[in-house]
Amino acid sequence: MSTPATPQNPQPPDPETTGIRTLGHANRFAVWDSEFRYDGRIRVPMGVKIKEVKYSYTGNRQVDIAATEVKRGRGGIGQEYEVIDLTFLEDADLITFTLRGDLNVDADPRPAYGRTYQIRVDVVLGNGDVRTANPEIEVLAGAWNRSDPEKVGRPFVRLPYDNNWGGSPNSQAGFGLVADDGRIAGDKFIIDLVNLRQGEQGVASNSSDHVYYQLVHEDGTPSHYTPTPQVHKADGHRDSGTGRKVTLPALDLRQLGDKPGYYRFLVWPQSANPDNSPSNLRWDEAKPEDAFQLGSVYYRYTAPHNVDTGLRASIKTQTLTATAGQDRWIYPPFVIRNTGQRTIGTVKAVFTAPEGLRFTEERLAFTRWEDEGHEVVAPAVLSADRRTLTCPAVPLNLVPSGPGKDAWASVYPALEVEATAPAGRALVGIQLGEPVFATAQDTVEIRPRG
């Protein structure tokens, strides 16, 4: 007797062909900085142009501000958009743009520590079609007192706007920056760290003196300049003054060997408790969703012709503890689920480990949802320093997630903790696919040897 076919769940439409694909946007800021930054891409019929771009000024999902088109690379401070790239395909055109302007989402969210808004963006095309996206932003409280709930007063970084932080031609020129030659001046990526609890005696998270930052390509791979999130010193302060800003040094992405494309500038504000322990109110650099996007750059940008591989995945991470020089190995797990439209079959996986950790085996073990007790092994190759483990073909075979479906695979490379491993947090990374379609990092908290 034959088995009846299982009805397929309807696939969500591709945002690039029916709406707008969001490349990046200013996703999180305090009520002090009500500004909008958005980078997007659309696929349109051949020859169709953008007629108008509008967005929601108050976050009520009603478009009420029209942006003016300006010259590519202008980097102005008004309500403006620039067409960054026009790429011609055989049957369609790809239009990539950047949008900026003011917002009015500065209502104090307390007693909650933050409030979310969806900022509707409409792109009106010359043929009458309207493309829409609804990027979500999180607006944080800009004041704190001891009676507020726990999360109020988490550290944040400012979203530079107008000319308040200096820079050329203005303070916000590091968002939607056009860098055809790969060069980024030293006044473009600005970090201004605020901690509303700074110096307050006897309260958690009362000291901030650094952030983590990273440049990440549209496809999820990091810039060679920041293979992992990097530490940058910054003076945390409570007031709204801008005199304690710091900037990244001048960069040359071409000289670094970075591939052309779109890069997001991501920052994770940090804070410590009175005993100098990391605060649980800091933003975790191991979690991409914790990042503040403060800028973006289009480096020799041309929209990729194969703009969507159809492969998408979420990767659940974990924090482990270990002791320098311990005898037992550790196995940082990465739990992978298919969030795309196509089955993830056999894919390449690359794992990276920082100083103090080394991979131990030329293989990768993993389990799958059908039989958690059955371990599958895929061959792998170790780098000379044993800090990179490359698995050319991992048979994940994960069907797309959906109602009643929870297909997953848990992969866990073996690592040893060297006796000289520095105390503190170490990040173990994973990249899936070629080209890469998903990345994540597990955290290993290393204690000194007793």
Side-chain angles (χ1 to χ4, degrees):
M1 187 173 86
S2 62
T3 302
T6 303
Q8 296 295 309
N9 295 316
Q11 301 297 343
D14 183 349
E16 197 161 281
T17 57
T18 61
I20 308 170
R21 181 178 299 284
T22 299
L23 299 175
H25 69 289
N27 63 318
R28 180 181 291 118
F29 47 80
V31 295
W32 301 355
D33 304 324
S34 283
E35 292 276 319
F36 192 47
R37 308 282 184 268
Y38 182 82
D39 300 313
R41 186 172 64 222
I42 56 177
R43 183 189 295 245
V44 301
M46 296 172 63
V48 172
K49 307 296 184 185
I50 293 177
K51 180 180 179 182
E52 188 177 25
V53 177
K54 300 182 289 185
Y55 69 93
S56 172
Y57 179 59
T58 59
N60 63 359
R61 302 191 186 185
Q62 302 298 314
V63 290
D64 46 20
I65 289 286
T68 302
E69 183 177 7
V70 296
K71 184 179 179 181
R72 176 182 184 269
R74 169 176 162 170
I77 60 175
Q79 279 64 250
E80 303 169 344
Y81 76 94
E82 302 172 14
V83 173
I84 301 294
D85 177 71
L86 177 59
T87 294
F88 302 108
L89 306 181
E90 290 185 1
D91 59 349
D93 296 343
L94 292 175
I95 304 175
T96 305
F97 66 96
T98 189
L99 170 65
R100 54 183 171 265
D102 295 327
L103 284 182
N104 182 14
V105 289
D106 50 0
D108 191 337
R110 292 183 299 171
Y113 85 99
R115 179 181 300 171
T116 58
Y117 298 84
Q118 286 192 337
I119 308 299
R120 176 169 169 170
V121 178
D122 277 5
V123 174
V124 182
L125 301 177
N127 63 358
D129 290 348
V130 179
R131 298 292 188 83
T132 297
N134 293 281
E136 187 172 88
I137 62 172
E138 183 177 31
V139 181
L140 308 179
W144 170 84
N145 60 59
R146 287 175 179 264
S147 64
D148 283 328
E150 179 191 16
K151 284 190 174 182
V152 177
R154 293 184 78 177
F156 60 84
V157 281
R158 303 292 303 272
L159 177 63
Y161 61 85
D162 295 350
N163 298 295
N164 295 23
W165 287 261
S168 176
N170 52 64
S171 301
Q172 61 189 55
F175 223 119
L177 172 66
V178 174
D180 289 330
D181 59 2
R183 295 174 181 171
I184 302 171
D187 62 353
K188 291 297 184 291
F189 288 147
I190 299 168
I191 299 169
D192 186 355
L193 175 60
V194 175
N195 185 345
L196 300 173
R197 302 169 177 232
Q198 187 79 16
E200 190 76 17
Q201 297 299 310
V203 299
S205 187
N206 67 346
S207 177
S208 290
D209 64 4
H210 69 284
V211 301
Y212 283 89
Y213 72 94
Q214 191 172 33
L215 283 171
V216 179
H217 191 273
E218 174 191 349
D219 66 9
T221 57
S223 162
H224 292 306
Y225 181 66
T226 56
T228 61
Q230 304 292 301
V231 174
H232 201 300
K233 292 293 183 182
D235 291 331
H237 59 93
R238 301 176 65 157
D239 59 81
S240 60
T242 60
R244 280 151 291 194
K245 71 167 188 180
V246 293
T247 60
L248 296 195
L251 305 175
D252 189 329
L253 301 181
R254 183 176 185 179
Q255 189 176 60
L256 289 167
D258 279 329
K259 57 192 169 188
Y262 173 82
Y263 288 83
R264 295 183 296 150
F265 173 45
L266 305 178
V267 178
W268 292 262
Q270 302 296 297
S271 63
N273 296 317
D275 63 358
N276 290 323
S277 62
S279 170
N280 62 4
L281 299 184
R282 66 182 179 85
W283 301 86
D284 190 346
E285 72 278 8
K287 297 179 179 178
E289 67 271 19
D290 269 11
F292 289 61
Q293 184 174 352
L294 296 188
S296 62
V297 58
Y298 291 94
Y299 162 44
R300 296 180 64 191
Y301 184 85
T302 300
H305 285 62
N306 54 338
V307 291
D308 188 8
T309 65
L311 298 181
R312 298 282 187 273
S314 67
I315 305 178
K316 182 179 179 182
T317 59
Q318 188 172 324
T319 298
L320 306 179
T321 59
T323 301
Q326 67 182 34
D327 293 333
R328 60 182 177 83
W329 295 347
I330 59 174
Y331 299 86
F334 299 90
V335 181
I336 304 163
R337 286 179 169 85
N338 186 346
T339 56
Q341 303 176 20
R342 289 172 40 198
T343 295
I344 299 174
T346 298
V347 297
K348 181 179 180 179
V350 179
F351 300 86
T352 55
E355 180 183 356
L357 298 175
R358 295 192 299 179
F359 295 104
T360 60
E361 299 181 311
E362 290 195 314
R363 66 174 203 156
L364 173 68
F366 64 98
T367 58
R368 293 162 50 80
W369 81 101
E370 311 105 315
D371 186 357
E372 296 184 42
H374 176 62
E375 187 174 77
V376 184
V377 174
V381 178
L382 277 170
S383 62
D385 62 3
R386 295 168 58 190
R387 292 204 172 101
T388 301
L389 182 72
T390 302
C391 308
V394 185
L396 294 177
N397 299 326
L398 294 174
V399 297
S401 302
K405 293 181 181 178
D406 186 25
W408 56 264
S410 179
V411 300
Y412 38 91
L415 282 165
E416 65 177 353
V417 187
E418 298 175 295
T420 56
R425 284 178 294 156
L427 301 179
V428 180
I430 180 176
Q431 295 182 357
L432 288 181
E434 194 174 32
V436 174
F437 63 87
T439 64
Q441 293 173 321
D442 271 340
T443 300
V444 181
E445 297 279 0
I446 301 177
R447 299 183 294 255
R449 193 168 190 172

